[in-house]
Amino acid sequence: MDCCICSNDMIYKFSSKILNNYNISYFYCENCGFLRTEAPYWLNESYKSVINLSDTGILSRNIYLSKITSLIIYFFFDKDANYLDFGGGYGIFTRIMRDIGLNFYWYDPYCNNILSKGFEYDNNKEIELITSFESFEHLVKPLETLENMLNISRNILFTTELLPKEIPEPNNWWYYGLEHGQHISFYSRKTLEYISKKYNLNFYTNGRNIHLFSEDKLDIKKFRQKFTIAEND
């Protein structure tokens, strides 16, 4: 199996049961540190409900991320520019950010915009920064989706849990999402660094789950400080 990030050969890592039904294999790339499932034939079943039932923290997560994002925008970007939430779900995050006073727009081809109607993204808007939260682990073709984003903006703030250095067994890491089967792509820090170099971007991270690709060089100490402020708020 070829790695969809760096095209090197992937090795079989382990198998597990998802959706309490399908035994699937996971493959790992030693070159770029990317882990993924076999071809995900079960996704139609996984996405009968786009927002899976186990995502009970959807509101608190969006509130928390609105604090992080607003701080990053105010200190590193143009607060009067346009912003896009890519994979925006029901429009919760876009609604919060617009209520804060930032010009956010919504895009999601798989979900209904319930809370941010009238603020759907169109190609005529110049976008300063894209946010994309809890979406990268869902991507069947990560680089293809990333390139679509980069055609809109070369600044992307996103979340995905970093794959630990010691790859966890299937039942020892909640982020595999075995109960819903929607998580199929898993990125180590090495993977994200590889991607940033491939597209000539700067890479910043809190070392856990919040990351930024940017064409700009930022003050790393100030960047990390904004996470600390939001986490202690």
Side-chain angles (χ1 to χ4, degrees), residues 50 74-75 208:
V50 176
Y74 277 112
F75 282 93
R208 300 188 304 278

Side-chain angles (χ1 to χ4, degrees), residues 132-133 136 156-160 192 203 209-213:
S132 188
F133 300 134
F136 274 53
I156 302 172
L157 180 66
F158 63 103
T159 65
T160 192
L192 298 180
F203 172 59
N209 64 338
I210 304 178
H211 322 287
L212 174 68
F213 290 140

Side-chain angles (χ1 to χ4, degrees), residues 28 161-168 173 176 187-188:
Y28 179 69
E161 294 286 332
L162 287 180
L163 184 67
K165 290 183 179 179
E166 295 294 328
I167 298 176
W173 196 38
Y176 288 131
Y187 311 79
S188 65

Side-chain angles (χ1 to χ4, degrees), residues 58-77 92-102 104 129 131 133 157 159 210 222-233:
I58 187 170
L59 288 177
S60 60
R61 182 176 67 249
N62 277 279
I63 292 169
Y64 166 70
L65 289 171
S66 71
K67 297 176 183 178
I68 291 285
T69 304
S70 59
L71 282 171
I72 289 174
I73 287 174
Y74 277 112
F75 282 93
F76 299 111
F77 297 97
I92 298 170
F93 185 78
T94 299
R95 179 72 274 156
I96 293 173
M97 298 307 287
R98 293 199 70 87
D99 288 350
I100 289 173
L102 294 166
F104 259 81
L129 169 80
T131 56
F133 300 134
L157 180 66
T159 65
I210 304 178
K222 186 183 288 186
F223 182 78
R224 290 174 178 168
Q225 182 186 50
K226 302 315 157 193
F227 288 109
T228 303
I229 292 171
E231 287 172 348
N232 293 332
D233 189 354

Side-chain angles (χ1 to χ4, degrees), residues 129-142:
L129 169 80
I130 290 173
T131 56
S132 188
F133 300 134
E134 295 306 294
S135 64
F136 274 53
E137 60 279 0
H138 296 255
L139 300 179
V140 179
K141 298 179 179 179

Side-chain angles (χ1 to χ4, degrees), residues 82 84 105-107 118-127 152:
N82 294 322
L84 171 64
Y105 293 88
W106 172 96
Y107 172 79
F119 298 106
E120 293 80 8
Y121 170 71
D122 64 63
N123 293 327
N124 295 321
K125 291 182 175 63
E126 185 174 340
I127 299 297
I152 299 170

Side-chain angles (χ1 to χ4, degrees), residues 46-65:
S46 290
Y47 286 101
K48 285 182 179 178
S49 174
V50 176
I51 307 299
N52 71 73
L53 296 177
S54 64
D55 190 5
T56 56
I58 187 170
L59 288 177
S60 60
R61 182 176 67 249
N62 277 279
I63 292 169
Y64 166 70
L65 289 171

